[in-house]
Amino acid sequence: MKKYYLVRFDDICPTMDFEQFGRAVSLMEKYNIKPLLGVIPNNKDTDQMKCEENPLFWELLKELQDKGWDIALHGYTHVYDQEEPKTLISGKKHSEFAGNNYDDQYTKIKKGKEILESHGLRTTMFFAPAHTYDAITLDALHDNGFLYNVDGCSSLPYKEQNVIAIPCRAFGVPKYDIGKINVAVCHPSEWGLASKERDYDSLKMFCEKHKDNFVSFSELMASISLGNSKIQKCIEKIYVIGRNIYIAARNVRNKVRGNIG
Ligand SMILES: [Zn+2]
């Protein structure tokens, strides 16, 4: 079975940690990988304000896109305005999209897309902050001309409500293969935190291990066939249930260890 390896960088915005992003760019260039950059177009999330706004940000992104890096719209402000809405995949968590009505979601996506376009960035890809999207998000994406939602836990990309879901199963860098499509999901702005400093090393090992088998998201979609929607939705549900059981068991184990310790 041919396997695909990809890299997605989240929370890319003018106030991100540029020192850490520089390490990400160098690593991608060393291994000739063209990652997907999830760009927050109008960031208002204080967690993503790591430094002064970089005036060269948009120019840099345009250069990277011209080199073949993919750009995705990653929310609008990255600020959550819904608590525990019903979502399609990720369970009940805070959300910028899921739980809001169509007009609100449509407007956020439209405004975000306009900001990217005003800086010469084109995209047909989207993924929501905190993985929280619902059926209305998919409609609002389609109506704004988006083709792909880079999220979900299927084994193959599949079409749902006229939007193609490209699976992104891992929460971070996969330690082992988790299917045909293996995406390392990375947050470079967090690499400066003591608790996350090993994340860069995990990505570096992932790059070294799979260096001959990386593709960009655009290349993936040009070379892979879509899965059957009904089957993929079943696979996705089973995967999410399995993962939730694993996480619950791990939490119990850690709690027990904590009590003993
Ligand atoms: Zn994010």
Side-chain angles (χ1 to χ4, degrees):
M1 177 174 77
K2 177 169 171 52
K3 290 186 179 175
Y4 299 89
Y5 298 88
L6 304 96
V7 178
R8 189 183 102 175
F9 289 120
D10 292 20
D11 303 334
I12 303 303
C13 64
T15 54
M16 67 181 171
D17 185 332
F18 276 85
E19 194 183 327
Q20 299 301 337
F21 185 66
R23 295 172 81 200
V25 172
S26 301
L27 193 60
M28 295 300 100
E29 285 179 343
K30 179 179 175 193
Y31 289 98
N32 196 25
I33 299 169
K34 296 179 178 71
L36 173 68
L37 299 178
V39 181
I40 309 169
N42 181 31
N43 180 56
K44 302 286 181 205
D45 179 352
T46 51
D47 284 349
Q48 308 305 335
M49 294 176 186
K50 306 283 188 189
C51 62
E52 291 294 310
E53 196 166 318
N54 187 329
L56 300 175
F57 172 78
W58 295 106
E59 213 173 294
L60 171 64
L61 252 58
K62 180 80 177 68
E63 269 174 37
L64 294 173
Q65 185 172 61
D66 291 345
K67 282 184 187 174
W69 292 33
D70 285 314
I71 303 286
L73 181 70
H74 178 44
Y76 178 50
T77 63
H78 209 271
V79 172
Y80 306 122
D81 54 15
Q82 296 287 322
E83 286 300 325
E84 302 199 344
K86 200 167 181 297
T87 64
L88 279 181
I89 300 297
S90 66
K92 290 180 174 176
K93 285 198 296 188
H94 45 208
S95 165
E96 185 185 3
F97 288 87
N100 282 302
N101 64 33
Y102 175 84
D103 286 347
D104 186 87
Q105 297 204 39
Y106 178 87
T107 305
K108 283 174 177 168
I109 292 166
K110 183 172 184 285
K111 284 183 178 173
K113 187 182 176 187
E114 282 171 357
I115 292 173
L116 295 190
E117 286 177 348
S118 73
H119 296 288
L121 301 172
R122 306 165 310 279
T123 185
T124 53
M125 298 180 182
F126 172 89
F127 58 93
H131 308 274
T132 38
Y133 55 95
D134 58 16
I136 293 174
T137 320
L138 299 184
D139 280 343
L141 283 171
H142 174 65
D143 295 347
N144 271 300
F146 281 80
L147 303 178
Y148 304 105
N149 180 34
V150 189
D151 212 331
C153 296
S154 53
S155 60
L156 291 171
Y158 71 96
K159 207 169 206 179
E160 172 76 1
Q161 293 174 238
N162 296 309
V163 176
I164 295 170
I166 307 177
C168 233
R169 286 177 160 177
F171 286 137
V173 177
K175 288 195 182 73
Y176 47 85
D177 288 350
I178 45 177
K180 197 176 173 75
I181 299 170
N182 296 279
V183 182
V185 177
C186 306
H187 298 78
S189 273
E190 293 182 351
W191 291 346
L193 305 172
S195 59
K196 300 281 184 181
E197 62 187 9
R198 282 164 63 189
D199 289 7
Y200 171 82
D201 296 329
S202 302
L203 176 61
K204 198 173 162 191
M205 280 165 60
F206 183 77
C207 295
E208 179 61 34
K209 193 170 167 188
H210 305 295
K211 60 186 171 191
D212 299 323
N213 295 297
F214 278 95
V215 289
S216 70
F217 279 79
S218 294
E219 288 164 348
L220 173 76
M221 293 318 297
S223 64
I224 199 168
S225 305
L226 295 187
N228 173 285
S229 295
K230 280 185 183 158
I231 294 172
Q232 289 302 317
K233 280 166 82 171
C234 282
I235 290 172
E236 189 159 53
K237 272 193 184 129
I238 293 166
Y239 184 88
V240 171
I241 290 168
R243 186 168 70 186
N244 289 346
I245 291 171
Y246 170 80
I247 292 170
R250 190 185 60 190
N251 290 345
V252 169
R253 194 181 61 215
N254 290 343
K255 208 170 172 185
V256 169
R257 279 186 187 157
N259 285 343
I260 292 169

